[in-house]
Amino acid sequence: MAEYNNSSSTTQVQGGTTLFSPYKIANFNFSHRVVLAPMTRCRALNGIPNAALAEYYSQRSTPGGFLISEGTSISPTAYGFPHVPGIYSEEQVKAWRNVVDAVHAKGSIIFCQLWHVGRASHSVYQPGGAAPISSTAKPLLEKWRILRPDGSYGAYPEPRALTTSEIPEIVHHYRQSAINAIRAGFDGVEIHGAHGYLIDQFLKDGINDRTDEYGGSLENRCRFLIQVVRAVVSGIGAERVGVRISPAIDHNDAIDSDPLGLGLAVIERLNNLQKELGRKLTYLHVTQPRYTAYGKTEYDKEEEEAHLMRNLRKAYEGTFMCSGGFNRKLGMEAVVQGDADLVSFGRLFISNPDLVLRFKLNAPLNKYNRKTFYTQDPVIGYTDYPFLTKGNQTQELNARL
Ligand SMILES: Cc1cc2nc3c(=O)[nH]c(=O)nc-3n(C[C@H](O)[C@H](O)[C@H](O)COP(=O)(O)O)c2cc1C
């Protein structure tokens, strides 16, 4: 194997914490802080995880590593992408077990991301061709296009705003899915409250136009998320539950007039809940705005972003994970400077199944091919990205370095 210069200045932290330092949260002992970000890959044909998923997640597993699954549908109304896995039927629970077992066999810890897309859906994905559900009846703007099962793109339709009395049933679906995830062998769940999907459709004042107890004030807009967190915690215990938010990400029109204020409001409520329970959630996972700046060579919001993330980090009383636009150098800096405990990597992990080893060695990275992010081939663009080393060498080197 080639020799690489792994002594870049950011790794030379004598005795200090780096991306490769262990991290302990409640029952989990992570051997490093390079986390697989949740990523929809559309390979679970008809909503059932299969051997391709087992291979994909197993390839990205390291001893003591941490993986978060792709967004996984909590109910039949939760879908908005083709061939997304679910976690509400017995068939799905059983099928996930094979994936989780493959990951555990490699020594990694894996959480299931619980997902409901809300209005970011289409009647083709809905039972009986119904309208998608949301906090609002306003559709997404024309500039956003939905990927339909046949691979074509179209406009998002008008959603139906949930009535107040329908909300407890959706909250129940999150709880039941979390219980199912544990039954499937997952070590915990991440509640997807980010990126303009259902929970974010309640959080953001650019979307939520409700006049009941779920709309208007910050207290009301945070209510749905906090009810979901409480319900999931009551089902599986706080130490198995992570929460993801993205107060400053405008994906799917999820704009808020005060992202920092919203982020702090969520955090205040999570902190209070933790105090009330006398236990901590596993982590808070925050996507930073750099994520949506992809393709741009210059990124001019550096200071604004750092200010937002540091304030959220400071306010949250628990484990803080960042995501969005990180490479080895930026991830290392975030951990070294104390801006994050854990860093999740998305696109680089798609094209580098052995990302952890490559980072350790400071080795060159494979480039990702965006065209195969959401296709259905079980191999191409999914499990065929090359490793640096052959056979068991990756595992051996990971354990040694
Ligand atoms: C193909 C793809 C699918 C994604 N699917 C999800 C998802 O299911 N759930 C989620 O919370 N984030 C999802 N994301 C966002 C990633 O978790 C991550 O935050 C994002 O890619 C930014 O990190 P990166 O710059 O390291 O790629 C997705 C991103 C990509 C590229």
Side-chain angles (χ1 to χ4, degrees):
M1 193 188 57
E3 293 289 322
Y4 302 103
N5 171 19
N6 63 351
S7 61
S8 86
S9 58
T10 45
T11 56
Q12 292 180 340
V13 186
Q14 299 296 323
T17 302
T18 77
L19 260 186
F20 312 115
S21 306
Y23 188 78
K24 183 171 166 55
I25 321 177
N27 308 329
F28 305 115
N29 290 306
F30 300 142
S31 64
H32 59 80
R33 291 132 186 269
V34 180
V35 177
L36 173 69
M39 279 180 295
T40 297
R41 301 305 313 278
C42 304
R43 263 73 173 188
L45 301 183
N46 303 315
I48 311 294
N50 52 36
L53 275 77
E55 174 66 10
Y56 170 79
Y57 286 105
S58 159
Q59 284 183 344
R60 284 153 187 78
S61 300
T62 50
F66 184 36
L67 315 183
I68 308 168
S69 83
E70 61 210 277
T72 300
S73 295
I74 61 158
S75 72
T77 64
Y79 294 94
F81 274 83
H83 304 290
V84 163
I87 186 75
Y88 53 87
S89 77
E90 281 311 304
E91 190 183 3
Q92 291 161 345
V93 171
K94 203 163 153 245
W96 268 118
R97 167 68 71 181
N98 299 328
V99 179
V100 173
D101 285 351
V103 170
H104 285 163
K106 291 264 186 84
S108 266
I109 293 147
I110 181 165
F111 274 32
C112 180
Q113 192 188 48
L114 303 184
W115 194 23
H116 194 304
V117 300
R119 69 174 181 166
S121 182
H122 190 276
S123 52
V124 290
Y125 291 113
Q126 295 299 315
I133 54 174
S134 181
S135 64
T136 179
K138 282 182 301 191
L140 280 134
L141 292 177
E142 270 283 320
K143 72 169 185 175
W144 303 102
R145 313 294 288 169
I146 185 156
L147 173 59
R148 291 184 288 227
D150 63 5
S152 64
Y153 284 86
Y156 282 96
E158 211 167 273
R160 179 176 73 76
L162 285 160
T163 63
T164 315
S165 63
E166 285 176 302
I167 293 176
E169 193 190 344
I170 312 285
V171 173
H172 172 74
H173 290 154
Y174 279 95
R175 183 178 189 275
Q176 188 55 52
S177 298
I179 293 169
N180 289 349
I182 299 301
R183 287 175 51 233
F186 281 102
D187 300 290
V189 303
E190 175 175 291
I191 296 167
H192 192 347
H195 307 163
Y197 297 107
L198 184 62
I199 292 175
D200 212 19
Q201 290 161 26
F202 279 84
L203 290 174
K204 300 275 172 75
D205 63 4
I207 301 177
N208 185 335
D209 54 0
R210 302 179 74 88
T211 53
D212 65 359
E213 71 225 52
Y214 290 93
S217 65
L218 276 171
E219 183 64 30
N220 286 357
R221 283 185 279 129
C222 290
R223 193 180 306 283
F224 180 57
L225 168 65
I226 299 302
Q227 286 181 345
V228 169
V229 177
R230 276 185 181 280
V232 169
V233 163
S234 79
I236 64 171
E239 52 285 319
R240 290 176 187 276
V241 181
V243 175
R244 184 169 211 188
I245 57 169
S246 59
I249 299 276
D250 60 5
H251 186 65
N252 288 331
D253 291 337
I255 295 167
D256 196 86
S257 56
D258 178 13
L260 178 58
L262 174 63
L264 292 173
V266 169
I267 287 173
E268 185 189 340
R269 284 159 184 79
L270 295 180
N271 286 343
N272 287 343
L273 178 63
Q274 293 182 143
K275 282 193 195 110
E276 180 192 317
L277 297 167
R279 285 145 87 189
K280 297 248 193 267
L281 300 169
T282 322
Y283 61 82
L284 177 66
H285 188 181
V286 181
T287 323
Q288 62 178 27
R290 191 191 299 263
Y291 169 30
T292 47
Y294 46 47
K296 296 181 189 161
T297 42
E298 291 292 315
Y299 181 61
D300 56 4
K301 299 240 169 83
E302 205 94 27
E303 266 179 47
E304 200 180 311
E305 175 171 282
H307 174 76
L308 172 96
M309 295 301 284
R310 287 204 174 121
N311 273 286
L312 299 180
R313 156 56 154 184
K314 241 188 326 182
Y316 182 60
E317 294 162 10
T319 297
F320 193 78
M321 189 188 321
C322 290
S323 187
F326 285 94
N327 54 22
R328 181 182 188 275
K329 178 171 174 286
L330 293 171
M332 194 61 97
E333 281 170 9
V335 172
V336 168
Q337 291 165 8
D339 292 335
D341 300 304
L342 304 168
V343 182
S344 80
F345 294 86
R347 290 161 288 187
L348 295 182
F349 233 137
I350 288 183
S351 53
N352 295 277
D354 52 355
L355 186 67
V356 179
L357 180 62
R358 286 177 191 253
F359 275 175
K360 283 181 180 171
L361 296 169
N362 205 7
L365 301 179
N366 301 320
K367 290 202 167 44
Y368 49 81
N369 177 4
R370 205 180 294 283
K371 289 198 184 111
T372 51
F373 279 178
Y374 302 118
T375 46
Q376 274 78 65
D377 194 287
V379 176
I380 297 169
Y382 194 49
T383 55
D384 64 349
Y385 283 106
F387 285 74
L388 211 50
T389 59
K390 300 245 176 295
N392 288 332
Q393 263 189 313
T394 308
Q395 286 295 90
E396 285 162 18
L397 281 167
N398 261 320
R400 189 145 52 81
L401 291 171

